[in-house]
Amino acid sequence: MNTLETAPQAQPQQPQPEANGDASVQQRSVDWDNPRVSAILAAAAKCFARKGFSATTLAEIGKELGLRKSIVHYYFASKAALIHEVQSFTYHKYLDRVKEAVRATGEADPKQRMLSALRSLWDVMQNNKTATGLNIEVWSAARRDPELKRRAAALQHDARKLIGDGVTDVLGSRAADFPQMEALSSLILAVLNGLAVAEFLEGEDQAKTKDAYDAFLYLLRLGIRSMDGGAAPAKA
Amino acid sequence: MNTLETAPQAQPQQPQPEANGDASVQQRSVDWDNPRVSAILAAAAKCFARKGFSATTLAEIGKELGLRKSIVHYYFASKAALIHEVQSFTYHKYLDRVKEAVRATGEADPKQRMLSALRSLWDVMQNNKTATGLNIEVWSAARRDPELKRRAAALQHDARKLIGDGVTDVLGSRAADFPQMEALSSLILAVLNGLAVAEFLEGEDQAKTKDAYDAFLYLLRLGIRSMDGGAAPAKA
């Protein structure tokens, strides 16, 4: 699997991540700005999400792009290395879209901004079934691949931090009054993951998962109001 | 995989479910009361949760119990049939434990009973890592196995219904005032699934997922109080 004999002559610009190395998720060394690299990562995400890691070959991923398997090998030394990179790549793409969607709403009020952000998280997830399929595959494969599990845990941690920062932004100076910030971030992430699974299994009932998310946002608004000592909001 | 040449002479007492048949989850035909059948199902659940479906052989499952592969084959015509049955078996075992735990609390007040039930769902999940591992494997394999997906969706539906019945029990005559009953059930199930995934990935931080679940129960109590028009409950 490591033959590079038919690969292009030029050397990769940056070292590839080790399949089982201890490089942190932050210390990314694959050049996502290289159009060919990002095309391979996007094609791999699609194939992995559809068929799973073990049933997908590097040759199939190359075929999606009209590339020889050797070219895929040139950029990714092994399928394990590609899997790890696809996971980070897809996750960061997802977050980029969320950030863009939040910015696009241009909400000035922090509470409205938080609700916008939570709606954006949902909408982006709706339009990114590949990310859901890939997540499920990662969770499954993580049981057999400690490095994948470590990376998945690090991404969960990043996502929680991002959500926590967003909530802190809303609560402002009162954030200190709310000792359960981390718990709340974990909860929001769990709701997104859990509803993504439900929607994947019961695809025909998308309205149901949307209603469940709305019910969650309603409860969150109650939580925020209770801190203000205000009345309960109108039901969503 | 279908050879029964070394199997015992007696015929199975009941027809086996078809691997890709359209038998509903409700129309179960494998005898769970047969101690050998339930032992095989429990051993299979353990193996599948640990190693995944494709990496587990019927021979390994038999070995866990000191049984020849042919005996496992005698009860389950194929690995696919066994996978489908293990899924239902594990799920029903889980629900039985939850019901027992709720009954054991003996709460007379419906609201307390609901909170007890929600705590029991959590506690039983904590003590049943096999179910979490198996769930993740089922979600992953469901992309390649339509029958498994159909069954997983049916079990999700059952679980939501059970949760919904529990919530209706709490709300009593006011249940009609709460149009989002199904949404709430979906949300509770999603939180359990999402937190189970988080705990699986970040096993060392169990306190975090517990805190997240507590935050969710706090928000739910706020939701119930808001229907009563009462004040916010003390923070958990």
Side-chain angles (χ1 to χ4, degrees), chain A residues 48-55 133-134 136-144 148-149 152-154 156-157 160 177-180 182-184 186-187 189-191 193-195 197-198 200-205 208-209 211-216 218-220 222-224 226-227 232 235-236, chain B residues 48-55 133-134 136-144 148-149 152-154 156-157 160 177-180 182-184 186-187 189-191 193-195 197-198 200-205 208-209 211-216 218-220 222-224 226-227 232 235-236:
Chain A
F48 289 149
R50 199 167 51 209
K51 294 179 62 182
F53 294 142
S54 52
L134 196 67
I136 291 173
E137 186 65 15
V138 165
W139 302 335
S140 168
R143 283 166 314 151
R144 296 175 291 269
L148 196 63
K149 185 167 182 172
Q156 283 264 125
H157 182 267
R160 265 207 315 271
D177 302 339
F178 197 65
Q180 294 157 324
E182 247 191 275
L184 190 61
S186 298
L187 178 61
L189 186 60
V191 167
N193 281 337
L195 288 178
V197 167
F200 159 71
L201 291 176
E202 311 169 272
E204 69 281 10
D205 281 331
K208 265 189 203 158
T209 45
D211 288 349
Y213 195 67
D214 285 342
F216 180 58
Y218 171 74
L219 291 176
L220 278 182
L222 278 183
I224 295 174
S226 83
M227 292 178 56
K235 277 174 202 168
Chain B
F48 289 149
R50 200 166 50 207
K51 294 179 63 183
F53 294 141
S54 51
L134 197 68
I136 292 174
E137 186 65 15
V138 165
W139 302 336
S140 168
R143 283 165 316 151
R144 296 174 292 269
L148 195 63
K149 184 168 181 170
Q156 282 264 125
H157 183 267
R160 266 208 315 272
D177 302 340
F178 197 66
Q180 294 156 322
E182 248 191 275
L184 191 60
S186 298
L187 178 61
L189 187 60
V191 168
N193 281 338
L195 288 178
V197 167
F200 160 70
L201 291 176
E202 312 169 271
E204 68 280 10
D205 282 331
K208 264 189 203 159
T209 45
D211 287 349
Y213 195 66
D214 285 342
F216 180 58
Y218 172 74
L219 291 176
L220 278 181
L222 278 182
I224 294 173
S226 83
M227 292 177 56
K235 277 175 201 169

Side-chain angles (χ1 to χ4, degrees), chain A:
Chain A
M1 288 287 279
N2 283 313
T3 174
L4 291 173
E5 56 193 9
T6 57
Q9 293 306 303
Q11 291 303 303
Q13 294 163 307
Q14 289 156 322
Q16 306 301 305
E18 291 293 320
N20 287 299
D22 60 0
S24 114
V25 172
Q26 282 70 39
Q27 295 170 327
R28 192 164 54 73
S29 55
V30 173
D31 182 10
W32 291 353
D33 293 332
N34 179 327
R36 185 164 272 183
V37 167
S38 64
I40 291 172
L41 288 169
K46 231 171 75 184
C47 293
F48 289 149
R50 199 167 51 209
K51 294 179 62 182
F53 294 142
S54 52
T56 303
T57 65
L58 293 194
E60 280 172 307
I61 293 165
K63 210 176 163 190
E64 286 269 326
L65 303 166
L67 294 176
R68 289 195 311 277
K69 176 175 132 183
S70 57
I71 308 278
V72 180
H73 262 309
Y74 171 75
Y75 292 101
F76 299 94
S78 66
K79 192 157 88 176
L82 180 55
I83 287 170
H84 297 159
E85 199 64 26
V86 162
Q87 181 193 13
S88 303
F89 179 77
T90 307
Y91 168 81
H92 281 101
K93 281 274 219 193
Y94 175 83
L95 283 191
D96 284 349
R97 284 191 216 171
V98 170
K99 285 178 195 160
E100 196 182 318
V102 173
R103 209 169 26 235
T105 66
E107 293 286 357
D109 176 57
K111 272 182 210 167
Q112 288 308 316
R113 199 158 63 239
M114 176 166 110
L115 288 172
S116 284
L118 288 169
R119 293 222 168 273
S120 298
L121 279 168
W122 179 258
D123 292 340
V124 173
M125 195 177 79
Q126 291 300 304
N127 293 311
N128 200 351
K129 298 297 175 196
T130 294
T132 301
L134 196 67
N135 265 341
I136 291 173
E137 186 65 15
V138 165
W139 302 335
S140 168
R143 283 166 314 151
R144 296 175 291 269
D145 182 340
E147 167 64 8
L148 196 63
K149 185 167 182 172
R150 201 193 59 71
R151 281 172 167 253
L155 294 182
Q156 283 264 125
H157 182 267
D158 284 0
R160 265 207 315 271
K161 178 146 187 346
L162 192 98
I163 293 170
D165 289 349
V167 178
T168 304
D169 180 36
V170 172
L171 300 177
S173 62
R174 292 168 310 156
D177 302 339
F178 197 65
Q180 294 157 324
M181 186 66 68
E182 247 191 275
L184 190 61
S185 310
S186 298
L187 178 61
I188 292 170
L189 186 60
V191 167
L192 287 167
N193 281 337
L195 288 178
V197 167
E199 191 151 298
F200 159 71
L201 291 176
E202 311 169 272
E204 69 281 10
D205 281 331
Q206 290 197 359
K208 265 189 203 158
T209 45
K210 177 75 167 64
D211 288 349
Y213 195 67
D214 285 342
F216 180 58
L217 294 186
Y218 171 74
L219 291 176
L220 278 182
R221 278 201 300 275
L222 278 183
I224 295 174
R225 297 272 175 117
S226 83
M227 292 178 56
D228 288 340
K235 277 174 202 168

Side-chain angles (χ1 to χ4, degrees), chain B residues 47-123:
Chain B
C47 293
F48 289 149
R50 200 166 50 207
K51 294 179 63 183
F53 294 141
S54 51
T56 304
T57 64
L58 293 195
E60 281 172 306
I61 293 164
K63 210 176 162 189
E64 286 269 327
L65 303 164
L67 293 177
R68 288 195 314 276
K69 176 176 131 181
S70 57
I71 308 280
V72 179
H73 261 308
Y74 170 75
Y75 292 102
F76 300 95
S78 66
K79 191 157 89 176
L82 180 55
I83 287 170
H84 296 159
E85 199 65 26
V86 162
Q87 182 193 11
S88 303
F89 179 77
T90 307
Y91 169 81
H92 282 100
K93 280 275 220 193
Y94 176 82
L95 284 191
D96 284 350
R97 284 191 216 172
V98 170
K99 285 177 194 160
E100 197 182 317
V102 173
R103 207 167 29 234
T105 66
E107 294 285 359
D109 176 58
K111 271 182 212 168
Q112 289 307 317
R113 198 158 64 238
M114 177 167 112
L115 289 172
S116 284
L118 288 168
R119 292 221 169 274
S120 298
L121 279 169
W122 179 258
D123 292 341

